[in-house]
Amino acid sequence: MRKLKSISISAIVGMLALLTACSQKPDEVHYGSDECAHCKMMITNNRFASQIVTDTGKSIKFDAIECLADYTEEHKSELKTAKMWVSDFNNPGSWIEVGKANIVKSEVVKSPMGESLLAFENEDAMNEHLSEYPGEPVAWQSIVK
């Protein structure tokens, strides 16, 4: 009986470790040393960073939303089950799933690659930004062709 309990506990611990290892949560970006997987530039600005986390938990990092979009387009078949994350422009370091992000193409805020795509956590934050700066909302589907 004692041996059976020990095996059960080991199995549960092993399954938890496996689930943790395959998490699709965003990974930490090391600004100033991590390289964009698409353009190969160093990721330096936490307001524009983005990343893909595969179903095996591998993080692929980018310096701008436009690099995430281009990479996604080029690797569609490999990324069907991956999750995509973008940095909240108003709260750098906070991540938003791409499908939940409110994306703006700004006319005055320049992103590292020049497409000037910004992500906001909710519509109110996006509208507040647009009331102060020119730009327009864009759908993720229109960015990824």
Side-chain angles (χ1 to χ4, degrees):
M1 185 73 158
R2 198 174 212 181
K3 189 173 182 177
L4 185 60
K5 268 187 176 179
S6 177
I7 291 172
S8 296
I9 291 171
S10 295
I12 291 171
V13 170
M15 289 179 66
L16 288 174
L18 184 62
L19 290 173
T20 303
C22 295
S23 169
Q24 287 187 283
K25 298 287 182 195
D27 195 12
E28 180 181 356
V29 175
H30 299 98
Y31 297 97
S33 61
D34 282 348
E35 182 180 271
C36 176
H38 181 65
C39 72
K40 307 300 180 200
M41 291 178 61
M42 190 178 300
I43 303 170
T44 58
N45 193 328
N46 59 1
R47 299 176 97 182
F48 301 100
S50 58
Q51 62 181 293
I52 294 170
V53 182
T54 68
D55 57 352
T56 61
K58 178 184 175 189
S59 176
I60 304 166
K61 300 170 186 171
F62 305 93
D63 65 344
I65 295 172
E66 50 267 38
C67 285
L68 167 69
D70 289 347
Y71 188 93
T72 300
E73 188 177 325
E74 293 167 6
H75 297 85
K76 271 184 188 168
S77 61
E78 304 161 33
L79 301 173
K80 287 181 180 171
T81 57
K83 287 193 175 186
M84 291 174 271
W85 301 88
V86 290
S87 180
D88 184 349
F89 185 77
N90 284 343
N91 299 301
S94 294
W95 297 98
I96 311 165
E97 275 193 71
V98 164
K100 297 176 182 171
N102 294 274
I103 300 174
V104 167
K105 181 163 178 60
S106 175
E107 294 177 18
V108 294
V109 178
K110 300 297 178 203
S111 64
M113 297 309 292
E115 288 292 322
S116 301
L117 298 172
L118 322 172
F120 296 91
E121 182 177 21
N122 57 52
E123 200 170 323
D124 289 342
M126 176 184 72
N127 289 333
E128 186 176 322
H129 179 84
L130 289 173
S131 71
E132 295 178 35
Y133 303 99
E136 63 183 54
V138 292
W140 173 250
Q141 293 78 14
S142 69
I143 300 168
V144 179
K145 294 149 188 122

